[in-house]
């Protein structure tokens, strides 16, 4: 009954199943591993943020370039405040407002973007407090340059003069005539009526939408593996039923139980009239005739 499994058609089906199931399981396990990695990164980022609040500040040059291990660390830099910009459409504690961003010209000539604080409402240069004059030493949490359009950062253009949508060297270098560090810091003590902006977790370390996408893909791949097994058993059961019907002589189509001319197997006409038998049938001799 199961000899059909040796046919070329079923060889192809079996080969597909044997390859598809391990592939689905592998992809599901890989997606699950990606989710677990993001969970671990999220936990490590939280621990790092807690440690950064108590660790002593280090010179800016020792923490560059910014990566997952240095993001959020306390950095110290010395210089003179130069141009001040506003970063609109930044929410803090559920309120709409803007950042006050001031460029700190260091001794090397490059500028370090410093977020001095946050103010509520629409961006207004008249409300932003002026930066301190003279040489200053600032300490704040180190952050990587923002990417426009990512993590809620606006990618809108055409902002008024004195505003920037993203805190990134690529954006700021077009607004000032000097080089800008590919990093920025947010002061832990804002002052001047502003509110300090908390440091954000490094990109790729939070439980964001991508993390839960990995978890969803994990379920999809395992469902695909189960679906392949289900379809294989369904095809096998159907083939077994066909083979059993064939052994019992049960026709699989409508043409096997009737003749080619539409007559029944026992010779009766398709209309159901009995067939005439005998040599005298159809001779025309009527009743009552005899030999005399």
């Amino acid at each position: 009954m199961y000899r059909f499994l040796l046919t070329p058609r079923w060889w192809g089906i079996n080969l597909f199943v044997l390859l598809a199931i391990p592939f689905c399981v592998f992809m599901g396990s890989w997606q699950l591993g990606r989710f677990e990695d993001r969970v671990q990164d999220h936990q490590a980022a939280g621990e790092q943020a807690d440690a950064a609040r108590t660790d002593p500040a280090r010179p800016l040059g020792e923490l560059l370039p910014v990566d997952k291990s240095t993001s959020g660390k306390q950095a110290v830099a010395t210089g003179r405040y130069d141009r001040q910009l506003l970063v609109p459409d930044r929410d803090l504690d559920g309120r709409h407002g803007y950042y006050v961003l001031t460029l700190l010209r260091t001794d090397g000539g490059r500028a370090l973007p410093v977020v001095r604080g946050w103010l509520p409402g629409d961006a207004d240069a008249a409300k932003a407090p002026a930066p301190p004059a003279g040489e200053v030493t600032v300490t704040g949490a180190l952050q990587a340059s923002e990417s426009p359009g990512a993590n809620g950062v606006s990618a809108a253009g055409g902002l008024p003069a004195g505003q920037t949508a993203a805190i990134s060297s690529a954006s700021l270098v077009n607004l000032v005539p000097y080089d800008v560090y590919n990093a920025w810091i947010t002061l832990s003590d804002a002052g001047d009526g502003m509110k300090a902006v908390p440091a954000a977790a490094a990109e790729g370390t939070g439980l964001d939408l991508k993390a839960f996408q990995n978890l969803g893909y994990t379920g999809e791949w395992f469902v695909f593996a189960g679906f392949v097994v289900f379809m294989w058993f369904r095809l096998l059961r159907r083939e077994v039923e066909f083979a059993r019907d064939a052994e019992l002589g049960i026709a699989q189509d409508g043409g096997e139980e009737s003749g080619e001319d539409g007559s029944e197997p026992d010779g009766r006409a398709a209309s159901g009239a009995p067939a005439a038998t005998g040599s005298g049938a159809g001779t025309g001799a009527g009743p009552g005739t005899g030999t005399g």
Side-chain angles (χ1 to χ4, degrees):
M1 183 178 297
Y2 291 94
R3 286 178 295 178
F4 60 84
L5 291 173
L6 301 178
T7 61
R9 173 172 172 267
W10 272 92
W11 271 109
I13 293 175
N14 294 334
L15 180 62
F16 171 79
V17 171
L18 291 176
L19 294 177
I21 293 177
F23 178 76
C24 292
V25 172
F26 168 78
M27 292 301 298
S29 301
W30 181 78
Q31 290 289 351
L32 181 60
R34 292 288 297 167
F35 174 75
E36 292 175 345
D37 290 342
R38 291 181 182 275
V39 172
Q40 292 177 357
D41 288 343
H42 176 68
Q43 294 174 346
E47 295 173 355
Q48 179 176 318
D50 293 337
R53 298 186 184 98
T54 57
D55 289 344
R58 297 165 56 187
L60 176 65
E62 296 181 6
L63 299 174
L64 297 177
V66 185
D67 54 22
K68 292 181 180 180
S69 62
T70 60
S71 178
K73 295 287 188 180
Q74 294 293 311
V76 59
T78 301
R80 294 176 180 270
Y81 280 123
D82 192 69
R83 186 174 180 183
Q84 184 160 283
L85 301 168
L86 305 180
V87 187
D89 301 325
R90 296 302 178 103
D91 296 339
L92 185 62
D93 296 335
R95 301 176 62 192
H96 181 74
Y98 57 97
Y99 292 168
V100 178
L101 174 70
T102 310
L103 296 174
L104 180 73
R105 294 290 303 274
T106 62
D107 295 337
R110 300 173 69 183
L112 173 66
V114 178
V115 173
R116 296 172 50 228
W118 174 91
L119 289 173
D122 296 329
D124 187 351
K127 296 180 180 179
E135 187 175 83
V136 295
T137 298
V138 298
T139 302
L142 186 64
Q143 301 280 264
S145 288
E146 297 177 335
S147 299
N151 296 330
V153 178
S154 174
L159 294 176
Q163 296 186 19
T164 180
I167 309 174
S168 77
S169 58
S171 299
L172 296 173
V173 75
N174 298 319
L175 302 177
V176 295
Y178 38 77
D179 292 335
V180 180
Y181 280 101
N182 189 25
W184 57 283
I185 65 172
T186 174
L187 300 183
S188 55
D189 184 12
D192 295 327
M194 295 182 293
K195 192 170 185 178
V197 176
E203 185 176 357
T205 59
L207 293 180
D208 53 7
L209 179 60
K210 292 182 178 179
F212 292 101
Q213 283 179 340
N214 292 134
L215 188 60
Y217 293 151
T218 299
E220 288 182 0
W221 281 112
F222 287 132
V223 169
F224 290 159
F227 181 74
V228 170
V229 175
F230 167 76
M231 289 303 300
W232 185 85
F233 274 107
R234 183 174 181 179
L235 290 174
L236 178 66
R237 180 181 178 183
R238 181 182 178 186
E239 199 78 19
V240 169
E241 290 176 351
F242 285 166
R244 185 182 296 114
D245 291 345
E247 291 180 355
L248 296 175
I250 300 176
Q252 301 297 326
D253 53 35
E256 294 183 5
E257 292 192 5
S258 61
E260 295 296 333
D261 58 354
S263 60
E264 296 297 329
D266 59 358
R268 291 178 297 171
S271 60
T277 58
S279 61
T283 61
T289 58
T291 61

